[in-house]
């Protein structure tokens, strides 16, 4: 497999992209990292992910694989001679897929904390997030990792969210550690792994970027738009081409 | 494997439940089917799927597996001696998972804009989105008989259950899926010839009538 060409198209604050970076590192794979400028997506990204036009995309010997959890499973199956990410037992595998799929929803809930319509939506979303994190703590149990003794697929799926924790906590004025100490203990354990520390961006810089996007888009308190409207606008090509505007707050420059 | 106990908790109208029924039939498995009353969920359902409290749930020798696409992969991996549902090649497998995930992300919500419309614009929007989604799926199908290629497989199983809702979508939003997406309908007809599919799909007219009934209950009509 020494002739494998691997390219990862990514945006460094993305918790989905982090999954792929961690999986590649865990397998000890060499790859070319390419940072995408989201308002200015490369022709390669648009060609390799025509359906969603989103990062991350892994390009393996010229062929694209899209959707972060699917990419992580692909990496595990192709490079199956080392560092297994998923369990071998079909039942344990199904449980791992269940929790990885569950962790997909965290970004959407977190979005509503950050770019909320009003205080009520922020509080509601904060409570929803804490419920989800507590359910994940339940799944973790007393094991060091979701994979049991070994760091694996669910750990990889979830740990990228840590980049956003500081943002959520600051926007909604709460402490995830106070509410979910077991989960934060698990976070700290993961951060000791080289694959993770290499792949996660600084949460404080992620927060500054979130604030900047908020200002740029006129989001947050006193905007009349719901977070979901904004999220779907941001995901549309028309928005990035300036054809769809999001109303600014009164008094914004 | 003669001692396997397999129970499926389902709701007859669910396109997600249909996936599991079809997979079980394709593998020739015996199982106990239990119909859930969604207004009155059984203690077993709440116990076996405490996180989402939804059907379908497969209970294999007392242990639950939830989320239809995850259940189908489990069935394929556990009973791996016959009728493979996913490709063996990792790249083809990733493509199959991509399209099954696409169906999950897009079809239910867009179809829901039609079935649960509040005003005409919702239904129109839903119809446009649905036709776009079907176009993308026709592209993925290409000239193959099934999404799985020569063999009926995971993506076919993921999608065909939605056929139960086609009559409802067409009647409510006043269009013909066959006229707009003939390739997709040709694939539907091919799938309906399979015993596993014919056994697992409920009658689209009954589904439509039930949708109308729910619309009244929800105060939409």
């Amino acid at each position: 497999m020494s002739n494998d060409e691997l390219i990862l198209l990514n945006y460094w604050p993305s918790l989905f992209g982090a999954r792929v970076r961690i999986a590649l590192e865990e397998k000890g794979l060499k790859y070319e990292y390419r940072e995408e400028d989201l308002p200015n997506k490369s022709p390669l990204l648009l060609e390799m992910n025509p359906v969603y036009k989103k990062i991350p995309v892994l390009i393996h010997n010229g062929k694209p694989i899209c959707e972060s959890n699917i990419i992580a499973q692909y990496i595990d199956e192709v490079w199956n001679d080392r560092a297994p990410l998923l369990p071998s037992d079909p039942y344990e595998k199904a449980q791992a897929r269940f929790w990885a799929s569950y962790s997909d929803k965290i970004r959407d809930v977190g979005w509503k904390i950050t770019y909320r319509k009003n205080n009520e939506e922020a509080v509601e979303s904060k409570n929803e997030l804490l419920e989800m994190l507590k359910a994940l703590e339940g799944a973790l149990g007393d094991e060091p990792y979701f994979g049991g003794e070994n760091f694996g697929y669910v750990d990889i799926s979830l740990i990228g969210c840590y980049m956003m924790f500081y943002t959520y906590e600051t926007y909604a004025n709460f402490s995830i550690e106070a509410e979910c100490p077991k989960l934060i203990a698990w976070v700290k354990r993961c951060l000791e792994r080289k694959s993770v520390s290499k792949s996660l961006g600084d949460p404080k810089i992620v927060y500054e970027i979130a604030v900047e996007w908020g200002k740029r888009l006129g989001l947050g308190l006193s905007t009349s738009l719901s977070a979901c409207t904004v999220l779907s606008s941001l995901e549309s090509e028309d928005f990035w081409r300036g054809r769809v505007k999001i109303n600014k707050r009164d008094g914004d420059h | 494997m003669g001692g396997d106990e397999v129970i499926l908790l389902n709701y007859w109208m669910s396109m997600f439940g249909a996936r599991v029924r079809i997979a079980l039939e394709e593998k020739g498995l015996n199982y106990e089917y239990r119909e859930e009353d969604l207004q009155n969920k059984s203690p077993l359902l709440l116990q076996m799927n405490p996180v989402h409290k939804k059907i379908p749930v497969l209970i294999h020798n007392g242990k639950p597996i939830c989320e239809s696409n995850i259940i189908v992969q489990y069935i394929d991996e556990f009973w791996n001696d016959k009728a493979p549902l996913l490709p063996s090649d990792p790249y083809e497998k990733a493509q199959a998972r991509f399209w099954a995930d696409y169906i999950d992300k897009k079809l239910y919500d867009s179809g829901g804009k039609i079935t649960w419309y509040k005003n005409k614009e919702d239904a129109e929007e839903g119809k446009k989105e649905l036709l776009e989604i079907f176009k993308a799926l026709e592209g993925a199908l290409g000239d193959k008989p099934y999404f799985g290629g020569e063999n009926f497989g995971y993506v076919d199983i993921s999608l065909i259950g939605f056929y139960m809702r086609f009559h409802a979508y067409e009647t409510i939003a006043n269009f013909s899926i066959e006229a707009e997406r003939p390739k997709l309908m040709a694939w539907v007809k091919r799938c309906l010839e399979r015993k596993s599919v014919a056994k697992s799909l409920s009658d689209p007219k009954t589904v439509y009538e039930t949708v109308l009934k729910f619309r009244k209950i929800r105060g939409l009509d």
Side-chain angles (χ1 to χ4, degrees):
Chain A
M1 301 210 187
S2 52
N3 290 328
D4 279 313
E5 184 201 56
L6 280 169
I7 301 171
L8 173 62
L9 307 181
N10 195 34
Y11 173 60
W12 73 264
S14 164
L15 61 96
F16 301 110
R19 292 169 170 172
V20 181
R21 295 176 76 174
I22 296 169
L24 291 166
E25 294 288 335
E26 285 285 320
K27 296 283 188 179
L29 296 168
K30 294 202 151 35
Y31 66 99
E32 181 190 335
Y33 179 94
R34 291 197 201 171
E35 188 71 32
E36 284 283 334
D37 176 20
L38 295 189
N40 225 347
K41 291 175 181 178
S42 70
L44 183 64
L45 173 55
L46 301 179
E47 179 198 334
M48 292 283 130
N49 191 355
V51 174
Y52 297 117
K53 305 177 174 60
K54 286 183 179 178
I55 59 88
V57 179
L58 186 73
I59 310 172
H60 182 202
N61 295 333
K63 302 203 298 188
I65 305 100
C66 307
E67 295 299 294
S68 57
N69 276 341
I70 292 175
I71 301 172
Q73 291 186 73
Y74 173 80
I75 290 169
D76 198 37
E77 287 161 5
V78 173
W79 291 276
N80 57 6
D81 55 338
R82 64 195 96 160
L85 305 178
L86 274 110
S88 47
D89 172 68
Y91 186 76
E92 297 305 320
K93 218 181 263 205
Q95 299 315 301
R97 287 181 178 135
F98 176 89
W99 289 109
S101 168
Y102 186 77
S103 75
D104 267 350
K105 300 181 176 60
I106 289 184
R107 195 276 304 260
D108 289 348
V109 175
W111 189 272
K112 290 194 276 184
I113 295 176
T114 319
Y115 299 128
R116 75 279 216 150
K117 191 160 71 176
N118 50 48
N119 262 332
E120 283 73 45
E121 187 175 47
V123 171
E124 209 177 278
S125 304
K126 176 195 91 175
N127 291 334
E128 201 183 333
L129 179 72
L130 287 174
E131 237 181 77
M132 294 185 71
L133 296 180
K134 288 188 174 131
L136 286 159
E137 278 189 323
L140 181 62
D142 292 317
E143 305 274 16
Y145 299 110
F146 286 90
E149 286 300 314
N150 299 311
F151 182 80
Y153 181 62
V154 180
D155 306 279
I156 290 172
S157 228
L158 184 58
I159 190 60
C161 295
Y162 171 67
M163 280 194 283
M164 296 300 300
F165 281 8
Y166 179 75
T167 302
Y168 303 153
E169 289 172 315
T170 311
Y171 267 85
N173 192 28
F174 70 116
S175 156
I176 293 176
E177 177 145 31
E179 306 271 356
C180 304
K182 222 176 181 179
L183 193 76
I184 297 298
W186 163 81
V187 166
K188 291 178 178 160
R189 207 172 292 130
C190 290
L191 289 172
E192 287 170 7
R193 295 181 82 80
K194 200 164 128 208
S195 64
V196 175
S197 57
K198 277 185 92 168
S199 308
L200 297 197
D202 182 338
K204 295 225 163 88
I205 302 181
V206 169
Y207 167 70
E208 283 161 30
I209 290 178
V211 170
E212 192 49 49
W213 277 119
K215 283 197 189 120
R216 223 193 273 200
L217 302 167
L219 299 172
L221 282 173
S222 83
T223 180
S224 60
L225 294 165
S226 79
C228 292
T229 307
V230 173
L231 183 61
S232 57
S233 296
L234 284 175
E235 290 177 348
S236 84
E237 272 306 293
D238 282 346
F239 172 78
W240 295 111
R241 290 171 211 268
R243 288 188 215 124
V244 170
K245 287 196 190 328
I246 295 189
N247 296 323
K248 288 188 180 293
R249 283 179 288 185
D250 288 340
D252 241 341
H253 306 300
Chain B
M1 302 213 186
D4 277 312
E5 183 202 54
V6 180
I7 300 171
L8 173 62
L9 306 182
N10 193 35
Y11 178 60
W12 66 276
M13 238 172 88
S14 165
M15 40 288 225
F16 303 107
R19 293 169 171 173
V20 181
R21 295 177 77 174
I22 295 169
L24 290 166
E25 293 289 335
E26 285 285 319
K27 297 282 189 179
L29 297 168
N30 285 323
Y31 67 100
E32 183 190 333
Y33 180 95
R34 290 197 201 172
E35 186 69 33
E36 284 283 334
D37 173 7
L38 298 188
Q39 307 310 312
N40 210 0
K41 291 176 179 176
S42 70
L44 183 64
L45 173 56
L46 300 178
Q47 181 201 350
M48 291 283 134
N49 191 355
V51 174
H52 299 302
K53 304 176 174 58
K54 287 183 178 178
I55 57 89
V57 179
L58 190 75
I59 310 173
H60 183 202
N61 294 331
K63 302 203 298 190
I65 305 101
C66 307
E67 296 296 291
S68 58
N69 277 341
I70 292 175
I71 300 172
V72 172
Q73 291 186 72
Y74 173 80
I75 290 169
D76 197 39
E77 287 161 4
F78 191 89
W79 289 278
N80 58 6
D81 53 337
K82 61 188 109 158
L85 305 178
L86 274 110
S88 46
D89 171 69
Y91 187 76
E92 296 307 320
K93 216 181 264 204
Q95 299 315 302
R97 286 181 177 135
F98 176 88
W99 287 108
D101 178 69
Y102 175 82
I103 290 159
D104 265 355
K105 280 179 161 75
K106 301 272 193 178
L107 209 42
Y108 186 75
D109 287 344
S110 294
K113 285 183 186 176
I114 298 176
T115 49
W116 314 119
Y117 76 90
K118 290 200 184 79
N119 50 54
K120 266 210 174 105
E121 287 75 42
D122 298 337
E124 261 310 297
E125 197 179 293
K127 178 186 103 178
K128 283 199 178 92
E129 286 175 8
L130 216 63
L131 289 174
E132 280 303 306
I133 292 165
F134 286 157
K135 195 168 173 192
L137 288 166
E138 280 187 335
L141 180 62
D143 293 316
K144 310 191 298 288
Y146 299 109
F147 286 89
E150 287 303 311
N151 299 310
F152 182 80
Y154 183 61
V155 181
D156 306 280
I157 290 174
S158 226
L159 181 58
I160 191 59
F162 282 86
Y163 170 68
M164 286 193 281
R165 296 262 167 144
F166 281 15
H167 179 65
Y169 298 150
E170 290 172 314
T171 312
I172 293 171
N174 192 29
F175 70 118
S176 157
I177 296 175
E178 173 129 41
E180 304 273 359
R181 299 288 177 255
K183 215 175 180 181
L184 189 78
M185 284 311 291
W187 165 83
V188 166
K189 288 174 181 157
R190 209 171 291 130
C191 291
L192 291 173
E193 288 169 9
R194 295 181 81 80
K195 200 164 127 206
S196 65
V197 175
K199 277 185 92 169
S200 306
L201 299 196
S202 301
D203 174 48
K205 294 219 162 78
T206 316
V207 169
Y208 170 60
E209 280 155 26
T210 309
V211 166
L212 293 184
K213 199 171 77 180
F214 278 130
R215 283 189 59 83
K216 287 211 174 77
I217 293 173
R218 293 181 191 188
L220 295 168
D221 281 339

